[in-house]
Amino acid sequence: MDKNKVILIIDDDQNNIFALKLALKSRGFQALGCLSAEEGIAQLQGNSTIAVVLMDMMMPEIDGYEATRLIRQSWSSVRLPIIAVTAQAMPGDREKCLAAGANGYISKPIDIELLVHMLGELAG
């Protein structure tokens, strides 16, 4: 992934955003954090530097499934990788995330090396 591009983290937990931003920064990536799906969707509008979205699937108001569907509807002509990030790791959860429009799935706690590998595959 181009190091000039930005990873957008959408998660309702400020601690998760902080930890992910720190881990990604230590590997040379830039990241933005948003505490809600609404804020994340607003951040996407007119921001061409965002290369990938890390979407928490379990958020209040608009959850990650709905947010992913909204992004896919609004930016259908843009190839924007979305990685579902969730504590849900039961059988069928990965498929549910992919059916909502995510390109990848990673469970919490996040294996940062696996995430970096996914970023390379999806946004490389």
Side-chain angles (χ1 to χ4, degrees):
M1 187 174 115
D2 181 349
K3 300 291 181 165
N4 294 318
K5 293 292 187 171
V6 176
I7 299 165
L8 178 62
I9 303 164
I10 304 175
D11 194 312
D12 64 320
D13 186 325
Q14 183 67 44
N15 293 325
N16 289 342
I17 291 173
F18 178 78
L20 266 173
K21 284 174 74 173
L22 192 63
L24 290 167
K25 183 178 180 181
S26 74
R27 285 157 179 83
F29 295 101
Q30 298 180 58
L32 293 172
C34 295
L35 289 168
S36 70
E38 296 91 343
E39 186 183 339
I41 289 169
Q43 190 65 237
L44 284 170
Q45 295 175 350
N47 191 340
S48 62
T49 64
I50 296 172
V52 65
V53 175
L54 301 181
M55 179 73 72
D56 178 28
M57 302 312 280
M58 305 306 292
M59 293 185 290
E61 307 296 322
I62 298 176
D63 67 16
Y65 300 101
E66 183 62 21
T68 299
R69 285 189 281 273
L70 290 169
I71 291 168
R72 291 291 179 233
Q73 290 169 2
S74 298
W75 288 275
S76 60
S77 64
V78 177
R79 186 194 170 279
L80 178 66
I82 299 174
I83 299 174
V85 180
T86 183
Q88 303 281 22
M90 301 300 288
D93 287 330
R94 179 181 186 280
E95 292 74 19
K96 184 178 176 185
C97 293
L98 298 178
N103 302 91
Y105 168 92
I106 192 164
S107 61
K108 295 178 184 178
I110 294 174
D111 176 337
I112 195 66
E113 296 309 320
L114 177 59
L115 177 59
V116 168
H117 178 75
M118 286 177 119
L119 291 170
E121 284 187 345
L122 293 174

PDB file of all heavy atoms in Angstrom, residues 40-78:
ATOM      1  N   GLY A  40     -17.391   8.517   9.900  1.00  0.00           N
ATOM      2  CA  GLY A  40     -16.536   7.854   8.917  1.00  0.00           C
ATOM      3  C   GLY A  40     -17.010   8.083   7.495  1.00  0.00           C
ATOM      4  O   GLY A  40     -16.204   8.368   6.598  1.00  0.00           O
ATOM      5  N   ILE A  41     -18.309   7.973   7.288  1.00  0.00           N
ATOM      6  CA  ILE A  41     -18.866   8.197   5.950  1.00  0.00           C
ATOM      7  C   ILE A  41     -18.633   9.646   5.521  1.00  0.00           C
ATOM      8  O   ILE A  41     -18.265   9.916   4.374  1.00  0.00           O
ATOM      9  CB  ILE A  41     -20.357   7.808   5.917  1.00  0.00           C
ATOM     10  CG1 ILE A  41     -20.477   6.277   6.014  1.00  0.00           C
ATOM     11  CG2 ILE A  41     -21.028   8.320   4.656  1.00  0.00           C
ATOM     12  CD1 ILE A  41     -21.879   5.762   6.258  1.00  0.00           C
ATOM     13  N   ALA A  42     -18.806  10.579   6.447  1.00  0.00           N
ATOM     14  CA  ALA A  42     -18.539  11.989   6.147  1.00  0.00           C
ATOM     15  C   ALA A  42     -17.071  12.194   5.783  1.00  0.00           C
ATOM     16  O   ALA A  42     -16.745  12.979   4.878  1.00  0.00           O
ATOM     17  CB  ALA A  42     -18.932  12.865   7.334  1.00  0.00           C
ATOM     18  N   GLN A  43     -16.175  11.502   6.459  1.00  0.00           N
ATOM     19  CA  GLN A  43     -14.737  11.620   6.199  1.00  0.00           C
ATOM     20  C   GLN A  43     -14.390  11.123   4.786  1.00  0.00           C
ATOM     21  O   GLN A  43     -13.474  11.644   4.152  1.00  0.00           O
ATOM     22  CB  GLN A  43     -13.954  10.830   7.245  1.00  0.00           C
ATOM     23  CG  GLN A  43     -12.484  11.048   7.257  1.00  0.00           C
ATOM     24  CD  GLN A  43     -12.069  12.457   7.631  1.00  0.00           C
ATOM     25  OE1 GLN A  43     -11.376  13.108   6.861  1.00  0.00           O
ATOM     26  NE2 GLN A  43     -12.467  12.928   8.791  1.00  0.00           N
ATOM     27  N   LEU A  44     -15.128  10.142   4.302  1.00  0.00           N
ATOM     28  CA  LEU A  44     -14.871   9.597   2.969  1.00  0.00           C
ATOM     29  C   LEU A  44     -15.239  10.569   1.852  1.00  0.00           C
ATOM     30  O   LEU A  44     -14.655  10.520   0.772  1.00  0.00           O
ATOM     31  CB  LEU A  44     -15.662   8.296   2.766  1.00  0.00           C
ATOM     32  CG  LEU A  44     -15.118   7.064   3.452  1.00  0.00           C
ATOM     33  CD1 LEU A  44     -16.127   5.927   3.374  1.00  0.00           C
ATOM     34  CD2 LEU A  44     -13.790   6.648   2.842  1.00  0.00           C
ATOM     35  N   GLN A  45     -16.194  11.430   2.115  1.00  0.00           N
ATOM     36  CA  GLN A  45     -16.665  12.351   1.075  1.00  0.00           C
ATOM     37  C   GLN A  45     -15.578  13.349   0.713  1.00  0.00           C
ATOM     38  O   GLN A  45     -15.139  14.133   1.533  1.00  0.00           O
ATOM     39  CB  GLN A  45     -17.933  13.064   1.531  1.00  0.00           C
ATOM     40  CG  GLN A  45     -19.080  12.111   1.711  1.00  0.00           C
ATOM     41  CD  GLN A  45     -20.330  12.758   2.280  1.00  0.00           C
ATOM     42  OE1 GLN A  45     -20.322  13.890   2.719  1.00  0.00           O
ATOM     43  NE2 GLN A  45     -21.416  12.008   2.260  1.00  0.00           N
ATOM     44  N   GLY A  46     -15.124  13.258  -0.502  1.00  0.00           N
ATOM     45  CA  GLY A  46     -14.128  14.190  -1.004  1.00  0.00           C
ATOM     46  C   GLY A  46     -12.717  13.958  -0.511  1.00  0.00           C
ATOM     47  O   GLY A  46     -11.850  14.795  -0.723  1.00  0.00           O
ATOM     48  N   ASN A  47     -12.453  12.849   0.152  1.00  0.00           N
ATOM     49  CA  ASN A  47     -11.112  12.571   0.648  1.00  0.00           C
ATOM     50  C   ASN A  47     -10.494  11.443  -0.177  1.00  0.00           C
ATOM     51  O   ASN A  47     -10.709  10.271   0.097  1.00  0.00           O
ATOM     52  CB  ASN A  47     -11.157  12.193   2.133  1.00  0.00           C
ATOM     53  CG  ASN A  47      -9.777  12.149   2.752  1.00  0.00           C
ATOM     54  OD1 ASN A  47      -8.776  12.027   2.053  1.00  0.00           O
ATOM     55  ND2 ASN A  47      -9.730  12.235   4.063  1.00  0.00           N
ATOM     56  N   SER A  48      -9.728  11.813  -1.173  1.00  0.00           N
ATOM     57  CA  SER A  48      -9.148  10.825  -2.080  1.00  0.00           C
ATOM     58  C   SER A  48      -7.896  10.161  -1.516  1.00  0.00           C
ATOM     59  O   SER A  48      -7.337   9.268  -2.153  1.00  0.00           O
ATOM     60  CB  SER A  48      -8.827  11.475  -3.423  1.00  0.00           C
ATOM     61  OG  SER A  48      -7.859  12.495  -3.235  1.00  0.00           O
ATOM     62  N   THR A  49      -7.458  10.581  -0.324  1.00  0.00           N
ATOM     63  CA  THR A  49      -6.254   9.969   0.242  1.00  0.00           C
ATOM     64  C   THR A  49      -6.550   8.656   0.965  1.00  0.00           C
ATOM     65  O   THR A  49      -5.632   7.907   1.272  1.00  0.00           O
ATOM     66  CB  THR A  49      -5.552  10.922   1.235  1.00  0.00           C
ATOM     67  OG1 THR A  49      -6.404  11.156   2.347  1.00  0.00           O
ATOM     68  CG2 THR A  49      -5.169  12.229   0.566  1.00  0.00           C
ATOM     69  N   ILE A  50      -7.821   8.372   1.229  1.00  0.00           N
ATOM     70  CA  ILE A  50      -8.166   7.144   1.958  1.00  0.00           C
ATOM     71  C   ILE A  50      -8.074   5.949   1.018  1.00  0.00           C
ATOM     72  O   ILE A  50      -8.728   5.898  -0.020  1.00  0.00           O
ATOM     73  CB  ILE A  50      -9.566   7.259   2.595  1.00  0.00           C
ATOM     74  CG1 ILE A  50      -9.555   8.364   3.648  1.00  0.00           C
ATOM     75  CG2 ILE A  50      -9.980   5.922   3.209  1.00  0.00           C
ATOM     76  CD1 ILE A  50     -10.904   8.708   4.228  1.00  0.00           C
ATOM     77  N   ALA A  51      -7.235   4.992   1.414  1.00  0.00           N
ATOM     78  CA  ALA A  51      -6.976   3.816   0.580  1.00  0.00           C
ATOM     79  C   ALA A  51      -7.725   2.587   1.054  1.00  0.00           C
ATOM     80  O   ALA A  51      -7.971   1.670   0.271  1.00  0.00           O
ATOM     81  CB  ALA A  51      -5.487   3.520   0.545  1.00  0.00           C
ATOM     82  N   VAL A  52      -8.074   2.556   2.338  1.00  0.00           N
ATOM     83  CA  VAL A  52      -8.745   1.382   2.909  1.00  0.00           C
ATOM     84  C   VAL A  52      -9.476   1.809   4.178  1.00  0.00           C
ATOM     85  O   VAL A  52      -9.074   2.757   4.843  1.00  0.00           O
ATOM     86  CB  VAL A  52      -7.726   0.243   3.189  1.00  0.00           C
ATOM     87  CG1 VAL A  52      -6.739   0.635   4.246  1.00  0.00           C
ATOM     88  CG2 VAL A  52      -8.410  -1.055   3.545  1.00  0.00           C
ATOM     89  N   VAL A  53     -10.560   1.095   4.479  1.00  0.00           N
ATOM     90  CA  VAL A  53     -11.338   1.352   5.692  1.00  0.00           C
ATOM     91  C   VAL A  53     -11.259   0.117   6.587  1.00  0.00           C
ATOM     92  O   VAL A  53     -11.464  -1.006   6.124  1.00  0.00           O
ATOM     93  CB  VAL A  53     -12.818   1.643   5.358  1.00  0.00           C
ATOM     94  CG1 VAL A  53     -13.647   1.777   6.627  1.00  0.00           C
ATOM     95  CG2 VAL A  53     -12.952   2.892   4.498  1.00  0.00           C
ATOM     96  N   LEU A  54     -10.953   0.348   7.868  1.00  0.00           N
ATOM     97  CA  LEU A  54     -11.048  -0.695   8.886  1.00  0.00           C
ATOM     98  C   LEU A  54     -12.346  -0.419   9.628  1.00  0.00           C
ATOM     99  O   LEU A  54     -12.470   0.590  10.323  1.00  0.00           O
ATOM    100  CB  LEU A  54      -9.865  -0.658   9.848  1.00  0.00           C
ATOM    101  CG  LEU A  54      -8.475  -0.817   9.244  1.00  0.00           C
ATOM    102  CD1 LEU A  54      -7.417  -0.785  10.337  1.00  0.00           C
ATOM    103  CD2 LEU A  54      -8.386  -2.099   8.444  1.00  0.00           C
ATOM    104  N   MET A  55     -13.334  -1.283   9.460  1.00  0.00           N
ATOM    105  CA  MET A  55     -14.686  -1.046   9.953  1.00  0.00           C
ATOM    106  C   MET A  55     -15.022  -1.953  11.131  1.00  0.00           C
ATOM    107  O   MET A  55     -15.111  -3.172  10.976  1.00  0.00           O
ATOM    108  CB  MET A  55     -15.694  -1.303   8.820  1.00  0.00           C
ATOM    109  CG  MET A  55     -17.140  -1.126   9.204  1.00  0.00           C
ATOM    110  SD  MET A  55     -17.616   0.590   9.424  1.00  0.00           S
ATOM    111  CE  MET A  55     -17.603   1.149   7.712  1.00  0.00           C
ATOM    112  N   ASP A  56     -15.217  -1.327  12.305  1.00  0.00           N
ATOM    113  CA  ASP A  56     -15.738  -2.071  13.447  1.00  0.00           C
ATOM    114  C   ASP A  56     -17.177  -2.445  13.119  1.00  0.00           C
ATOM    115  O   ASP A  56     -17.963  -1.604  12.692  1.00  0.00           O
ATOM    116  CB  ASP A  56     -15.674  -1.197  14.704  1.00  0.00           C
ATOM    117  CG  ASP A  56     -16.234  -1.882  15.941  1.00  0.00           C
ATOM    118  OD1 ASP A  56     -16.191  -3.129  16.012  1.00  0.00           O
ATOM    119  OD2 ASP A  56     -16.713  -1.172  16.843  1.00  0.00           O
ATOM    120  N   MET A  57     -17.531  -3.683  13.311  1.00  0.00           N
ATOM    121  CA  MET A  57     -18.867  -4.127  12.920  1.00  0.00           C
ATOM    122  C   MET A  57     -19.911  -3.929  14.018  1.00  0.00           C
ATOM    123  O   MET A  57     -21.091  -3.871  13.735  1.00  0.00           O
ATOM    124  CB  MET A  57     -18.822  -5.597  12.482  1.00  0.00           C
ATOM    125  CG  MET A  57     -17.865  -5.860  11.323  1.00  0.00           C
ATOM    126  SD  MET A  57     -18.001  -4.722   9.920  1.00  0.00           S
ATOM    127  CE  MET A  57     -19.423  -5.390   9.084  1.00  0.00           C
ATOM    128  N   MET A  58     -19.485  -3.799  15.260  1.00  0.00           N
ATOM    129  CA  MET A  58     -20.421  -3.691  16.381  1.00  0.00           C
ATOM    130  C   MET A  58     -20.394  -2.274  16.960  1.00  0.00           C
ATOM    131  O   MET A  58     -19.682  -2.003  17.915  1.00  0.00           O
ATOM    132  CB  MET A  58     -20.076  -4.723  17.463  1.00  0.00           C
ATOM    133  CG  MET A  58     -20.009  -6.157  16.970  1.00  0.00           C
ATOM    134  SD  MET A  58     -21.491  -6.718  16.111  1.00  0.00           S
ATOM    135  CE  MET A  58     -22.659  -6.734  17.439  1.00  0.00           C
ATOM    136  N   MET A  59     -21.167  -1.387  16.351  1.00  0.00           N
ATOM    137  CA  MET A  59     -21.248  -0.003  16.812  1.00  0.00           C
ATOM    138  C   MET A  59     -22.712   0.353  17.041  1.00  0.00           C
ATOM    139  O   MET A  59     -23.595  -0.224  16.401  1.00  0.00           O
ATOM    140  CB  MET A  59     -20.653   0.947  15.768  1.00  0.00           C
ATOM    141  CG  MET A  59     -19.168   0.795  15.569  1.00  0.00           C
ATOM    142  SD  MET A  59     -18.486   2.027  14.427  1.00  0.00           S
ATOM    143  CE  MET A  59     -19.189   1.487  12.863  1.00  0.00           C
ATOM    144  N   PRO A  60     -22.962   1.322  17.933  1.00  0.00           N
ATOM    145  CA  PRO A  60     -24.339   1.778  18.140  1.00  0.00           C
ATOM    146  C   PRO A  60     -24.806   2.612  16.946  1.00  0.00           C
ATOM    147  O   PRO A  60     -24.007   2.979  16.090  1.00  0.00           O
ATOM    148  CB  PRO A  60     -24.248   2.622  19.407  1.00  0.00           C
ATOM    149  CG  PRO A  60     -22.836   3.088  19.444  1.00  0.00           C
ATOM    150  CD  PRO A  60     -22.017   1.999  18.808  1.00  0.00           C
ATOM    151  N   GLU A  61     -26.078   2.919  16.928  1.00  0.00           N
ATOM    152  CA  GLU A  61     -26.678   3.714  15.843  1.00  0.00           C
ATOM    153  C   GLU A  61     -26.578   2.932  14.533  1.00  0.00           C
ATOM    154  O   GLU A  61     -27.340   2.039  14.301  1.00  0.00           O
ATOM    155  CB  GLU A  61     -26.045   5.098  15.723  1.00  0.00           C
ATOM    156  CG  GLU A  61     -26.009   5.912  17.001  1.00  0.00           C
ATOM    157  CD  GLU A  61     -27.382   6.272  17.533  1.00  0.00           C
ATOM    158  OE1 GLU A  61     -28.284   6.573  16.744  1.00  0.00           O
ATOM    159  OE2 GLU A  61     -27.543   6.253  18.770  1.00  0.00           O
ATOM    160  N   ILE A  62     -25.603   3.267  13.712  1.00  0.00           N
ATOM    161  CA  ILE A  62     -25.372   2.545  12.454  1.00  0.00           C
ATOM    162  C   ILE A  62     -24.223   1.576  12.702  1.00  0.00           C
ATOM    163  O   ILE A  62     -23.102   1.995  12.992  1.00  0.00           O
ATOM    164  CB  ILE A  62     -25.018   3.510  11.309  1.00  0.00           C
ATOM    165  CG1 ILE A  62     -26.171   4.480  11.044  1.00  0.00           C
ATOM    166  CG2 ILE A  62     -24.660   2.732  10.050  1.00  0.00           C
ATOM    167  CD1 ILE A  62     -25.868   5.529   9.999  1.00  0.00           C
ATOM    168  N   ASP A  63     -24.514   0.276  12.607  1.00  0.00           N
ATOM    169  CA  ASP A  63     -23.435  -0.692  12.832  1.00  0.00           C
ATOM    170  C   ASP A  63     -22.570  -0.816  11.577  1.00  0.00           C
ATOM    171  O   ASP A  63     -22.850  -0.220  10.538  1.00  0.00           O
ATOM    172  CB  ASP A  63     -23.988  -2.042  13.294  1.00  0.00           C
ATOM    173  CG  ASP A  63     -24.808  -2.774  12.246  1.00  0.00           C
ATOM    174  OD1 ASP A  63     -24.739  -2.440  11.039  1.00  0.00           O
ATOM    175  OD2 ASP A  63     -25.532  -3.713  12.629  1.00  0.00           O
ATOM    176  N   GLY A  64     -21.500  -1.573  11.687  1.00  0.00           N
ATOM    177  CA  GLY A  64     -20.561  -1.723  10.587  1.00  0.00           C
ATOM    178  C   GLY A  64     -21.148  -2.398   9.363  1.00  0.00           C
ATOM    179  O   GLY A  64     -20.723  -2.120   8.238  1.00  0.00           O
ATOM    180  N   TYR A  65     -22.116  -3.274   9.563  1.00  0.00           N
ATOM    181  CA  TYR A  65     -22.754  -3.945   8.422  1.00  0.00           C
ATOM    182  C   TYR A  65     -23.498  -2.919   7.573  1.00  0.00           C
ATOM    183  O   TYR A  65     -23.341  -2.870   6.349  1.00  0.00           O
ATOM    184  CB  TYR A  65     -23.720  -5.035   8.901  1.00  0.00           C
ATOM    185  CG  TYR A  65     -23.039  -6.101   9.722  1.00  0.00           C
ATOM    186  CD1 TYR A  65     -23.121  -6.099  11.107  1.00  0.00           C
ATOM    187  CD2 TYR A  65     -22.302  -7.105   9.110  1.00  0.00           C
ATOM    188  CE1 TYR A  65     -22.487  -7.070  11.869  1.00  0.00           C
ATOM    189  CE2 TYR A  65     -21.658  -8.090   9.854  1.00  0.00           C
ATOM    190  CZ  TYR A  65     -21.757  -8.055  11.242  1.00  0.00           C
ATOM    191  OH  TYR A  65     -21.121  -9.018  11.986  1.00  0.00           O
ATOM    192  N   GLU A  66     -24.311  -2.098   8.230  1.00  0.00           N
ATOM    193  CA  GLU A  66     -25.078  -1.080   7.519  1.00  0.00           C
ATOM    194  C   GLU A  66     -24.153  -0.021   6.925  1.00  0.00           C
ATOM    195  O   GLU A  66     -24.346   0.417   5.793  1.00  0.00           O
ATOM    196  CB  GLU A  66     -26.111  -0.426   8.445  1.00  0.00           C
ATOM    197  CG  GLU A  66     -26.992   0.596   7.760  1.00  0.00           C
ATOM    198  CD  GLU A  66     -27.848   0.028   6.631  1.00  0.00           C
ATOM    199  OE1 GLU A  66     -28.090  -1.199   6.593  1.00  0.00           O
ATOM    200  OE2 GLU A  66     -28.276   0.830   5.779  1.00  0.00           O
ATOM    201  N   ALA A  67     -23.143   0.385   7.681  1.00  0.00           N
ATOM    202  CA  ALA A  67     -22.190   1.381   7.180  1.00  0.00           C
ATOM    203  C   ALA A  67     -21.478   0.860   5.931  1.00  0.00           C
ATOM    204  O   ALA A  67     -21.295   1.605   4.960  1.00  0.00           O
ATOM    205  CB  ALA A  67     -21.180   1.736   8.263  1.00  0.00           C
ATOM    206  N   THR A  68     -21.088  -0.395   5.940  1.00  0.00           N
ATOM    207  CA  THR A  68     -20.432  -0.986   4.772  1.00  0.00           C
ATOM    208  C   THR A  68     -21.375  -0.981   3.576  1.00  0.00           C
ATOM    209  O   THR A  68     -20.975  -0.613   2.465  1.00  0.00           O
ATOM    210  CB  THR A  68     -19.951  -2.417   5.093  1.00  0.00           C
ATOM    211  OG1 THR A  68     -19.008  -2.353   6.165  1.00  0.00           O
ATOM    212  CG2 THR A  68     -19.307  -3.077   3.891  1.00  0.00           C
ATOM    213  N   ARG A  69     -22.629  -1.350   3.797  1.00  0.00           N
ATOM    214  CA  ARG A  69     -23.609  -1.318   2.701  1.00  0.00           C
ATOM    215  C   ARG A  69     -23.794   0.105   2.168  1.00  0.00           C
ATOM    216  O   ARG A  69     -23.858   0.310   0.951  1.00  0.00           O
ATOM    217  CB  ARG A  69     -24.944  -1.901   3.164  1.00  0.00           C
ATOM    218  CG  ARG A  69     -24.927  -3.427   3.274  1.00  0.00           C
ATOM    219  CD  ARG A  69     -26.311  -4.005   3.512  1.00  0.00           C
ATOM    220  NE  ARG A  69     -26.735  -3.885   4.896  1.00  0.00           N
ATOM    221  CZ  ARG A  69     -26.472  -4.767   5.854  1.00  0.00           C
ATOM    222  NH1 ARG A  69     -25.791  -5.856   5.569  1.00  0.00           N
ATOM    223  NH2 ARG A  69     -26.902  -4.576   7.087  1.00  0.00           N
ATOM    224  N   LEU A  70     -23.866   1.086   3.065  1.00  0.00           N
ATOM    225  CA  LEU A  70     -24.027   2.480   2.641  1.00  0.00           C
ATOM    226  C   LEU A  70     -22.826   2.956   1.822  1.00  0.00           C
ATOM    227  O   LEU A  70     -22.990   3.643   0.804  1.00  0.00           O
ATOM    228  CB  LEU A  70     -24.220   3.390   3.854  1.00  0.00           C
ATOM    229  CG  LEU A  70     -25.543   3.264   4.593  1.00  0.00           C
ATOM    230  CD1 LEU A  70     -25.498   4.026   5.911  1.00  0.00           C
ATOM    231  CD2 LEU A  70     -26.688   3.780   3.721  1.00  0.00           C
ATOM    232  N   ILE A  71     -21.633   2.593   2.251  1.00  0.00           N
ATOM    233  CA  ILE A  71     -20.427   2.965   1.501  1.00  0.00           C
ATOM    234  C   ILE A  71     -20.445   2.325   0.127  1.00  0.00           C
ATOM    235  O   ILE A  71     -20.152   2.969  -0.884  1.00  0.00           O
ATOM    236  CB  ILE A  71     -19.148   2.582   2.284  1.00  0.00           C
ATOM    237  CG1 ILE A  71     -19.020   3.469   3.526  1.00  0.00           C
ATOM    238  CG2 ILE A  71     -17.902   2.685   1.390  1.00  0.00           C
ATOM    239  CD1 ILE A  71     -17.973   2.993   4.521  1.00  0.00           C
ATOM    240  N   ARG A  72     -20.806   1.061   0.068  1.00  0.00           N
ATOM    241  CA  ARG A  72     -20.847   0.369  -1.227  1.00  0.00           C
ATOM    242  C   ARG A  72     -21.875   1.007  -2.162  1.00  0.00           C
ATOM    243  O   ARG A  72     -21.645   1.117  -3.360  1.00  0.00           O
ATOM    244  CB  ARG A  72     -21.159  -1.120  -1.039  1.00  0.00           C
ATOM    245  CG  ARG A  72     -20.027  -1.872  -0.382  1.00  0.00           C
ATOM    246  CD  ARG A  72     -18.836  -1.967  -1.319  1.00  0.00           C
ATOM    247  NE  ARG A  72     -17.733  -2.663  -0.680  1.00  0.00           N
ATOM    248  CZ  ARG A  72     -16.513  -2.167  -0.591  1.00  0.00           C
ATOM    249  NH1 ARG A  72     -16.222  -1.001  -1.089  1.00  0.00           N
ATOM    250  NH2 ARG A  72     -15.565  -2.855  -0.002  1.00  0.00           N
ATOM    251  N   GLN A  73     -23.004   1.443  -1.627  1.00  0.00           N
ATOM    252  CA  GLN A  73     -24.038   2.093  -2.452  1.00  0.00           C
ATOM    253  C   GLN A  73     -23.568   3.464  -2.932  1.00  0.00           C
ATOM    254  O   GLN A  73     -23.763   3.820  -4.087  1.00  0.00           O
ATOM    255  CB  GLN A  73     -25.338   2.236  -1.667  1.00  0.00           C
ATOM    256  CG  GLN A  73     -26.043   0.931  -1.421  1.00  0.00           C
ATOM    257  CD  GLN A  73     -27.188   1.068  -0.425  1.00  0.00           C
ATOM    258  OE1 GLN A  73     -27.495   2.135   0.070  1.00  0.00           O
ATOM    259  NE2 GLN A  73     -27.815  -0.058  -0.113  1.00  0.00           N
ATOM    260  N   SER A  74     -22.949   4.227  -2.049  1.00  0.00           N
ATOM    261  CA  SER A  74     -22.547   5.598  -2.368  1.00  0.00           C
ATOM    262  C   SER A  74     -21.295   5.679  -3.227  1.00  0.00           C
ATOM    263  O   SER A  74     -21.137   6.612  -4.003  1.00  0.00           O
ATOM    264  CB  SER A  74     -22.315   6.389  -1.079  1.00  0.00           C
ATOM    265  OG  SER A  74     -23.498   6.459  -0.332  1.00  0.00           O
ATOM    266  N   TRP A  75     -20.395   4.739  -3.049  1.00  0.00           N
ATOM    267  CA  TRP A  75     -19.134   4.762  -3.781  1.00  0.00           C
ATOM    268  C   TRP A  75     -18.985   3.488  -4.612  1.00  0.00           C
ATOM    269  O   TRP A  75     -17.924   2.879  -4.648  1.00  0.00           O
ATOM    270  CB  TRP A  75     -17.952   4.902  -2.813  1.00  0.00           C
ATOM    271  CG  TRP A  75     -17.865   6.265  -2.218  1.00  0.00           C
ATOM    272  CD1 TRP A  75     -17.250   7.353  -2.763  1.00  0.00           C
ATOM    273  CD2 TRP A  75     -18.425   6.701  -0.986  1.00  0.00           C
ATOM    274  NE1 TRP A  75     -17.398   8.434  -1.939  1.00  0.00           N
ATOM    275  CE2 TRP A  75     -18.115   8.071  -0.836  1.00  0.00           C
ATOM    276  CE3 TRP A  75     -19.169   6.077   0.014  1.00  0.00           C
ATOM    277  CZ2 TRP A  75     -18.526   8.808   0.264  1.00  0.00           C
ATOM    278  CZ3 TRP A  75     -19.573   6.818   1.108  1.00  0.00           C
ATOM    279  CH2 TRP A  75     -19.255   8.173   1.226  1.00  0.00           C
ATOM    280  N   SER A  76     -20.039   3.125  -5.313  1.00  0.00           N
ATOM    281  CA  SER A  76     -20.025   1.868  -6.073  1.00  0.00           C
ATOM    282  C   SER A  76     -18.996   1.880  -7.198  1.00  0.00           C
ATOM    283  O   SER A  76     -18.510   0.830  -7.601  1.00  0.00           O
ATOM    284  CB  SER A  76     -21.413   1.560  -6.627  1.00  0.00           C
ATOM    285  OG  SER A  76     -21.834   2.605  -7.491  1.00  0.00           O
ATOM    286  N   SER A  77     -18.642   3.066  -7.687  1.00  0.00           N
ATOM    287  CA  SER A  77     -17.681   3.127  -8.788  1.00  0.00           C
ATOM    288  C   SER A  77     -16.234   3.187  -8.299  1.00  0.00           C
ATOM    289  O   SER A  77     -15.310   3.156  -9.096  1.00  0.00           O
ATOM    290  CB  SER A  77     -17.962   4.362  -9.652  1.00  0.00           C
ATOM    291  OG  SER A  77     -17.764   5.540  -8.894  1.00  0.00           O
ATOM    292  N   VAL A  78     -16.048   3.257  -6.989  1.00  0.00           N
ATOM    293  CA  VAL A  78     -14.704   3.362  -6.414  1.00  0.00           C
ATOM    294  C   VAL A  78     -14.304   2.021  -5.801  1.00  0.00           C
ATOM    295  O   VAL A  78     -15.080   1.412  -5.077  1.00  0.00           O
ATOM    296  CB  VAL A  78     -14.676   4.470  -5.323  1.00  0.00           C
ATOM    297  CG1 VAL A  78     -13.314   4.541  -4.665  1.00  0.00           C
ATOM    298  CG2 VAL A  78     -15.054   5.805  -5.923  1.00  0.00           C
TER     299      VAL A  78
END
